[in-house]
Amino acid sequence: MKHALLIILAALLSALLLFWFRSQKTSAGQLKVGERAVFQIEIVDNVLSQARGLSGRVSLDEDAGMLFVFSRPANRYFWMKDMQFPLDVLWIRDGKVIGIERDVPPPGLNNGQTARFQSPEPADTVLEINAGQAARKGMKVGDVVSW
């Protein structure tokens, strides 16, 4: 009897967690960096979707990105856990690029090591895009970001 009750409780808890996990949707929009870089973005602004990020995906469309929106500026720490492709990462505060990480490798291209990196100063927004996009589109520190 105890085992059956534990199994039922575990199933209910699992169903509730699954429902909550799936309800954590990302929103979409368009983002412009500087004068000519435009991206279709997924906006993630809750802890669960931010923790998941782009992990586990096999690719990102050419002009797509993921925008991490935080409630206040702080030193931000990111890593490439479970990533399948390299990224450029733009650190943003108050609508301006404050730093760029270029060509951050996934573990598969980094001798199995998970790359870890942090914002050069407090950031309130972080944009992840395909590696090489920042250079190809001429993005630089100081560029204005709008969405």
Side-chain angles (χ1 to χ4, degrees):
M1 182 69 175
K2 269 187 175 179
H3 291 312
L5 183 59
L6 286 175
I7 291 172
I8 291 170
L9 287 174
L12 285 172
L13 181 60
S14 295
L16 286 171
L17 286 173
L18 182 62
F19 174 76
W20 183 76
F21 182 76
R22 288 190 176 173
S23 70
Q24 300 297 306
K25 301 282 186 198
T26 58
S27 56
Q30 189 175 68
L31 177 133
K32 184 177 180 184
V33 180
E35 292 301 314
R36 57 184 208 167
V38 178
F39 297 94
Q40 300 304 314
I41 56 166
E42 292 177 61
I43 301 169
V44 290
D45 57 4
N46 63 69
V47 175
L48 186 61
S49 59
Q50 289 171 344
R52 185 175 55 243
L54 292 168
S55 294
R57 295 192 191 182
V58 296
S59 66
L60 188 61
D61 288 343
E62 182 68 18
D63 288 320
M66 182 169 277
L67 188 69
F68 296 75
V69 178
F70 301 96
S71 60
R72 61 178 177 75
N75 290 323
R76 302 292 169 195
Y77 302 89
F78 276 55
W79 65 344
M80 296 292 283
K81 184 177 184 303
D82 298 327
M83 285 298 300
Q84 307 295 315
F85 55 95
L87 295 173
D88 285 349
V89 178
L90 280 70
W91 307 104
I92 303 163
R93 184 180 64 233
D94 298 328
K96 286 193 178 174
V97 176
I98 59 169
I100 302 174
E101 300 287 334
R102 297 176 191 269
D103 301 314
V104 182
L109 298 177
N110 197 28
N111 295 323
Q113 299 296 311
T114 300
R116 292 170 170 83
F117 45 97
Q118 70 181 61
S119 59
E121 55 188 83
D124 56 17
T125 312
V126 179
L127 176 65
E128 292 182 341
I129 54 177
N130 284 307
Q133 287 283 55
R136 280 193 294 281
K137 295 184 182 272
M139 292 182 263
K140 62 191 179 311
V141 171
D143 278 350
V144 173
V145 178
S146 57
W147 71 90

